[in-house]
Amino acid sequence: MLQLKAPSLLRQQSYVDGVWCDADNKETIVVTNPATGEVIGTVPKMGRTETKRAIEAANKAWPQWRRKTAKERSIILRKWNDLMLANADDLALIMTSEQGKPLAEAKGEIAYAASFIEWFAEEGKRAGGDTIPSPSPNTRIVIVKEPIGVCVAITPWNFPAAMITRKVGPALAAGCTMVLKPAELTPFSALALAVLAERAGVPGGVFSVVTGASREIGAEMTSNPLVRKLSFTGSTGVGRLLMEQCAPTIKKLSLELGGNAPFIVFDDADLDAAVEGAIASKYRNAGQTCVCANRLYIHDSVYDAFAEKLVAAVAKMQVGNGLNAGVTQGPMIELKAVEKVEEHIADAVAKGARILIGGKRHALGHTFFEPTVLADVTASMLVAKEETFGPMAPLFRFKTDDEVLALANDTEFGLASYFYSRDIGRIWRIAEGLESGMVGINTGMISNEVAPFGGVKQSGLGREGSHYGIDDYQVIKYLCMGGL
Ligand code: ADP
């Protein structure tokens, strides 16, 4: 059992219509700690019936929630934010135990997660419409923004708290209600957030958490006509499927899907800064983030120097159980994830890449993997096309700006990209030339609640965070007032 200061935060039931409950058939899913293989507990394995009930409850709760003033909703959300911060130690412990990331990173994610609730508590008060000068003297044009209605969210395991709050925050602030299906691997973080939402005064039905079988829950969420919007973070494949399933009922969609981020180091870059950025972008969360650098393009003239510095930095990383002090890289989430990294390394090595450091499973066993750097990587290798989603940095070589821009954009994804240069002309040319929703320039860390997070191409639709983030949960109504 986890040693929590507030044991009530570890709930082994789902939260539907303001009630903590089991699956109708009492089936459960076992949740394990990836660092130890130990069982943390179980959560209900719910399906279509319970999901339908949660959606109907959300629909029933909606009129009262939307009738509240933005300020009334804001006060409740603000309290939820405060409770998250006050319980940050416990929430981080739950997260590290079920997800594996180092405790310091988990604490960072709780602060990041809470920041979306705080931000949208404020933004909800400012999400008004406007007026447009009429082309006719006898009419007036007024634009009001309304909550879209019942929303559903499906979230992944790599950010077990923040991927939830960046959806629930704007939804609730805008006056919508939401049913969430968290990832099967990390449901306890989601349920702990629900405990705090209830405590903060979020009314029953306004926010429900349904744990269980993704296909059944997803099928109900995407087909139920009461649901007006789906927000999903996860793989492009599942995103595409959900989009298809939403087509018959024309739901509004927010999709945060896969990435294949290029990380370019030009010959005029500050190499030490670039190495620091690469470590932060590539190895955070053991390389399991959708904005992780996936392909590192290094200019020919600084290739060897950069590789040497990166290897030296990687050699200092501490792999281990995220609960242990000093650990900078925890286990990977599951064996399947380890196998994908192994596949990418084997494919690259077979085609001529060299392993500079790491390259195999860590001596600690379980799903621990050595932080890895590969040199002499080329466009013909798997890693050039697919997201590795693991702690492996492949170094590609390039000579000209045009060449690297073409290589960087040669992907169906377009989430994040990064580059290092001190030349102002090049900075503008490359920033404008990169096909991605976000560009880190001389930095490997770009995410925060005030900036719009999202992709172009097959990386998704919509934006999360920032003052744009609430738009995804609102619809525009045009009032044409005639007869003046
Ligand atoms: P990841 O690579 O993060 O595991 P997935 O897209 O597989 O990405 O999973 C993200 C979320 O989508 C998880 O909550 C998972 O349970 C859910 N999911 C996976 N398959 C489906 C599906 N067919 N219908 C609905 N949800 C799904």
Side-chain angles (χ1 to χ4, degrees), residues 154-157 181-184 214-215 218 232-235 238 241-242:
I154 300 178
T155 53
W157 48 264
K181 189 208 86 68
E184 298 90 308
S214 54
R215 263 171 223 202
F232 170 73
T233 299
S235 60
V238 173
L241 180 76
L242 295 172

Side-chain angles (χ1 to χ4, degrees), residues 103-126:
L103 198 58
E105 264 184 59
K107 266 189 205 164
E109 185 184 332
I110 295 304
Y112 176 53
S115 75
F116 286 102
I117 302 293
E118 183 203 37
W119 171 262
F120 285 108
E122 294 299 323
E123 283 301 295
K125 292 189 263 182
R126 303 182 189 113

Side-chain angles (χ1 to χ4, degrees), residues 22-28 45-46 50:
D22 299 321
D24 289 354
N25 62 10
K26 307 290 174 213
E27 278 189 39
T28 57
K45 187 176 180 188
M46 293 186 159
E50 298 92 335

Side-chain angles (χ1 to χ4, degrees), residues 35-93:
T36 61
E38 282 163 14
V39 172
I40 303 170
T42 64
V43 293
K45 187 176 180 188
M46 293 186 159
R48 282 197 86 136
T49 327
E50 298 92 335
T51 308
K52 185 161 181 274
R53 206 178 299 144
I55 290 168
E56 283 164 0
N59 191 51
K60 199 156 149 257
W62 183 39
Q64 271 211 340
W65 183 248
R66 81 177 286 191
R67 259 202 306 276
K68 280 190 191 300
T69 64
K71 183 162 177 162
E72 286 170 332
R73 290 193 293 265
S74 172
I75 289 166
I76 294 172
L77 289 172
R78 179 80 210 192
K79 187 143 184 232
W80 192 11
N81 161 77
D82 294 346
L83 286 169
M84 285 179 67
L85 294 178
N87 289 280
D89 288 344
D90 279 349
L91 295 175
L93 182 55

Side-chain angles (χ1 to χ4, degrees), residues 293-312:
N294 198 55
R295 300 167 289 152
L296 286 80
Y297 294 103
I298 317 299
H299 191 270
D300 189 39
S301 67
V302 294
Y303 190 94
D304 294 335
F306 178 86
E308 197 177 307
K309 283 174 186 282
L310 183 65
V311 168

